[in-house]
Amino acid sequence: MYVGAVFFPLLGACLAGFLGRWLGEKASQWVTVLCMALAAACGLGAFAEVALGSAPGVVPILTFLDVGGFEVEWALRYDTLSVVMVAMVTFISTLIHLYSVGYMSHDATIPRFFAYLSLFTFMMLMLVTADNLVQLFFGWEGVGLASYLLIGYWYERESANRAAMKAFIVNRVGDLFFMLGMALTFWTFQSVQFDAIFDSVSQAQNVQFLGMPALEVIGVLLFLGACGKSAQLGLHTWLPDAMEGPTPVSALIHAATMVTAGVFLMARMSPLMEYAPVALAIVTIVGAATCFFAATIGCVQNDIKRIIAYSTCSQLGYMFFAAGVGVYQAAIFHLFTHAFFKALLFLGAGSVIHAMSDEQDIRKMGGIWKKIPVTYLVMWIGSLALAGVPIFAGYYSKDMVLEVAYAAHTPQGMFAFILGLAAAFLTAFYSWRLLILTFHGAPRADHHTMEHVHESPAVMLIPLLVLAVGAVTAGFVFYPLFVGEAQLEFWNGSIHTAEHNEVLEHAHHVPAWVPLAPTVVGISGIVLAYLLYMALPALPGRIAGAVPGLYRFLLNKWYFDELYDRIFVQPARVLARVFWKTGDARIIDGVPNGAADLAVQAARGAVRIQTGRVANYAFAMIIGLVLFVTLLLYGAR
């Protein structure tokens, strides 16, 4: 069961990838769906046995590396943290695979797509079941590779190629810090095994590296690595461009796999992070800033998928600042509930795009809710969960994140609480802006598009309805286990602070206005969106015209792309041009090739001496002997 949860997706990827030509499109689709369903069944079984049955364990596979005294085992670590991720990843991925059967039905290379999708899932499962940092890094790089393949899946589009390259390069920046953190961890603990690190972390408190506490440096380096994968402020620029891939890819990246890897890393390394308060403060501040920053951009975007993408970036900020104040349970709880409603929103957006003949601009939609009622319903449910409206999943997890930030009683915690409240208001606002402009008002699409608006097939609607159930129920069902009364027994030591957490205890006894505030600001955001886009639809244009600078600033995503282009891209191009024109053309092609030409000419001269006549060779030998004797006699004098 434990092995099957991880390796069934790899089996599906191999069958579709290597045998897809012989299996055919239909068989390739359904064999990967079947393998994912088997993985999900194993993952849910593992969750029941390990998390609910309190039976953690490690399943050894083989020796991964054995070089000198450095040995790394390839083993599957199954504790509560792992099985929560395994169950969530396999379940969400199975629904996305099923949805893709309908969404990608007209694609030209279906086996390739499903092979990539299953490979992506396998790499994420390798990451979350890793028993050491090397194995985790294998999965870490694997999801980076798979995301590159999937974002650039439609490689005939230049925009898709650019987006794939951008995601790959930006993630390599974060991965450099991760590798440095991994190397420093080995230098500090002489091991990369999690148990060995966690057992000796208290003895490493006084270890110094370049005059700084080694644990603080490790914590900062690992967080910078997490910033790349989880698109935190500074290394976030790849995330919205990743929308160039097919919509199921966006759902998988944003809900269950790649972007959650950084949050998982912080939780997995929580025993070490607890001894790095400065690193945790940085995590809190960056997470809070990302939360607010991404929400402001989401308010003015017009591409339906980009709005939801910036929503993911913002929600990841919530998860990080929950980890930053030391309540990793709350971070994983929000990660867990977020997976359901974010997958629902992306797949719902895909259903809208499918209905609108591939149109993604919400300004060209409107008036379609009666034609696609099921999609309309699930988008409402996803938006209610995202906005944190009571009963829905996001209400329980996001409110808990804000409560622990307040309960931390630290400057960075209060900073996170304030920005988190502001982001909650903006989240509700842009969610209802999307709903209203997409589904309501007069139709803004052309007549031909409106004639062809239709509901998605059942193979796409069934996953949407299942995810909608999760978006409604996941919060109140799992609240007692993740952050409630049963959390100590549930986590069973897999997260360090599950043993005793004062911040979490205080979060359950905050003033009454603290848990009420997110709901109030969320409803206020919904009301504002209704007033601006339903009651007074001309007003948003007037506001944008009144403050054109602010509107342009947000529309251009705070000019991060332009700034990076000026600082990094253009200087790199200038340097590359110098290397090309001077280094390659003049020096490499000039000097060595010139010397090579001289050698060729000398060889041609030497060839003329080779006549093949013995008399000529004998004469040359005699002349050489005379010269040798002459020099010898001259030297003897």
Side-chain angles (χ1 to χ4, degrees):
M1 178 176 65
Y2 298 134
V3 174
V6 176
F7 286 96
F8 272 128
L10 179 62
L11 175 63
C14 291
L15 290 174
F18 296 122
L19 303 178
R21 184 179 299 177
W22 293 274
L23 291 173
E25 293 181 352
K26 289 292 183 183
S28 296
Q29 288 175 325
W30 289 107
V31 75
T32 51
V33 172
L34 175 61
C35 286
M36 277 310 313
L38 291 171
C42 292
L44 293 173
F47 179 83
E49 187 169 310
V50 174
L52 303 181
S54 299
V58 176
V59 181
I61 303 293
L62 49 84
T63 300
F64 195 63
L65 286 174
D66 189 0
V67 181
F70 182 64
E71 183 175 336
V72 177
E73 292 290 328
W74 187 2
L76 305 180
R77 183 186 185 91
Y78 274 95
D79 55 16
T80 301
L81 178 61
S82 292
V83 293
V84 165
M85 296 297 295
V86 168
M88 182 270 289
V89 170
T90 53
F91 183 73
I92 299 291
S93 184
T94 299
L95 295 176
I96 292 173
H97 274 70
L98 182 61
Y99 177 94
S100 301
V101 171
Y103 191 86
M104 301 296 291
S105 59
H106 300 297
D107 192 75
T109 53
I110 288 174
R112 179 167 65 92
F113 175 80
F114 278 85
Y116 289 170
L117 208 61
S118 291
L119 178 65
F120 199 1
T121 306
F122 166 72
M123 289 299 181
M124 186 64 188
L125 293 168
M126 284 296 301
L127 190 158
V128 299
T129 57
D131 191 40
N132 56 73
L133 281 171
V134 172
Q135 186 181 337
L136 192 150
F137 187 69
F138 172 80
W140 191 271
E141 291 299 292
V143 293
L145 169 65
S147 68
Y148 169 79
L149 296 172
L150 285 165
I151 294 168
Y153 173 73
W154 285 318
Y155 56 82
E156 65 275 5
R157 301 180 184 175
E158 182 61 26
S159 58
N161 292 329
R162 290 180 178 275
M165 285 296 297
K166 187 175 182 179
F168 196 78
I169 292 168
V170 172
N171 272 276
R172 295 293 75 70
V173 176
D175 294 351
L176 172 63
F177 292 111
F178 186 101
M179 287 188 286
L180 293 174
M182 184 165 56
L184 183 56
T185 302
F186 180 72
W187 180 83
T188 304
F189 298 98
Q190 300 303 305
S191 177
V192 291
Q193 295 290 133
F194 291 137
D195 286 338
I197 294 169
F198 301 156
D199 289 344
S200 57
V201 68
S202 60
Q203 287 81 37
Q205 292 180 74
N206 299 321
V207 177
Q208 297 284 307
F209 178 75
L210 299 177
M212 296 176 287
L215 297 184
E216 293 281 13
V217 180
I218 292 170
V220 172
L221 289 172
L222 292 179
F223 171 62
L224 291 174
C227 283
K229 280 287 179 289
S230 295
Q232 292 301 282
L233 189 61
L235 294 177
H236 67 280
T237 53
W238 68 270
L239 193 64
D241 290 356
M243 298 303 98
E244 289 292 337
T247 301
V249 173
S250 304
L252 195 56
I253 289 176
H254 288 250
T257 54
M258 187 163 166
V259 298
T260 63
V263 182
F264 171 81
L265 177 64
M266 292 293 98
R268 174 56 76 205
M269 299 302 292
S270 58
L272 184 148
M273 297 299 292
E274 282 299 298
Y275 290 90
V278 175
L280 285 178
I282 293 172
V283 172
T284 305
I285 293 168
V286 173
T290 305
C291 174
F292 176 75
F293 152 80
T296 62
I297 298 175
C299 291
V300 299
Q301 294 297 303
N302 297 309
D303 184 302
I304 188 171
K305 288 171 64 177
R306 283 178 180 265
I307 297 171
I308 304 172
Y310 277 109
S311 163
T312 301
C313 192
S314 181
Q315 298 304 307
L316 288 165
Y318 279 104
M319 300 172 205
F320 272 102
F321 76 66
V325 298
V327 188
Y328 306 94
Q329 303 97 308
I332 298 299
F333 184 36
H334 193 48
L335 183 156
F336 182 78
T337 61
H338 175 263
F340 288 95
F341 59 78
K342 188 49 58 72
L344 177 62
L345 286 169
F346 264 113
L347 297 185
S351 185
V352 171
I353 295 166
H354 178 78
M356 294 293 294
S357 304
D358 296 330
E359 180 59 66
Q360 294 184 202
D361 192 332
I362 59 175
R363 295 171 298 181
K364 299 178 181 178
M365 297 181 186
I368 61 172
W369 72 273
K370 290 183 180 179
K371 296 189 175 185
I372 48 174
V374 178
T375 300
Y376 177 60
L377 172 65
V378 298
M379 287 294 284
W380 257 90
I381 293 172
S383 298
L384 287 166
L386 175 62
V389 174
I391 304 298
F392 295 89
Y395 166 74
Y396 293 91
S397 58
K398 186 156 68 174
D399 278 26
M400 177 51 65
V401 167
L402 290 170
E403 287 164 22
V404 299
Y406 179 87
H409 299 304
T410 60
Q412 62 268 22
M414 190 54 63
F415 174 76
F417 177 73
I418 293 169
L419 288 190
L421 272 182
F425 171 79
L426 296 173
T427 300
F429 172 77
Y430 66 64
S431 296
W432 261 257
R433 173 179 176 264
L434 183 151
L435 277 176
I436 293 167
L437 291 179
T438 301
F439 295 101
H440 291 280
R444 296 179 296 278
D446 60 75
H447 179 70
H448 176 74
T449 301
M450 291 302 298
E451 277 188 340
H452 289 82
V453 175
H454 59 285
E455 189 61 274
S456 298
V459 74
M460 293 170 63
L461 293 181
I462 290 171
L464 288 173
L465 294 172
V466 175
L467 288 168
V469 173
V472 175
T473 62
F476 65 77
V477 169
F478 289 98
Y479 180 92
L481 295 175
F482 279 74
V483 292
E485 296 174 355
Q487 61 99 12
L488 282 174
E489 182 182 354
F490 176 74
W491 290 109
N492 197 23
S494 62
I495 293 179
H496 177 70
T497 51
E499 297 292 335
H500 177 68
N501 194 321
E502 292 182 0
V503 176
L504 183 59
E505 291 171 5
H506 292 159
H508 291 296
H509 301 94
V510 293
W513 68 268
V514 174
L516 186 62
T519 302
V520 172
V521 298
I523 293 174
S524 300
I526 293 171
V527 171
L528 179 61
Y530 177 83
L531 291 174
L532 290 180
Y533 294 99
M534 285 285 280
L536 303 167
L539 193 55
R542 294 177 185 173
I543 295 174
V547 283
L550 176 62
Y551 178 74
R552 197 176 303 112
F553 178 71
L554 296 178
L555 191 64
N556 286 284
K557 302 160 289 187
W558 290 32
Y559 291 103
F560 266 95
D561 284 303
E562 290 78 3
L563 179 65
Y564 285 178
D565 184 69
R566 184 69 59 86
I567 296 174
F568 300 114
V569 178
Q570 291 184 20
R573 284 178 175 170
V574 170
L575 187 63
R577 192 172 291 110
V578 169
F579 283 142
W580 169 34
K581 294 289 187 181
T582 303
D584 192 23
R586 291 186 181 179
I587 298 176
I588 295 176
D589 288 345
V591 175
N593 286 6
D597 187 61
L598 289 175
V600 169
Q601 296 300 326
R604 288 174 178 168
V607 166
R608 296 192 184 99
I609 300 174
Q610 304 299 324
T611 62
R613 295 181 179 180
V614 176
N616 291 350
Y617 296 152
F619 179 73
M621 293 173 64
I622 292 170
I623 294 297
L625 183 61
V626 169
L627 289 173
F628 175 74
V629 172
T630 302
L631 291 172
L632 186 65
L633 292 175
Y634 180 78
R637 288 183 181 180

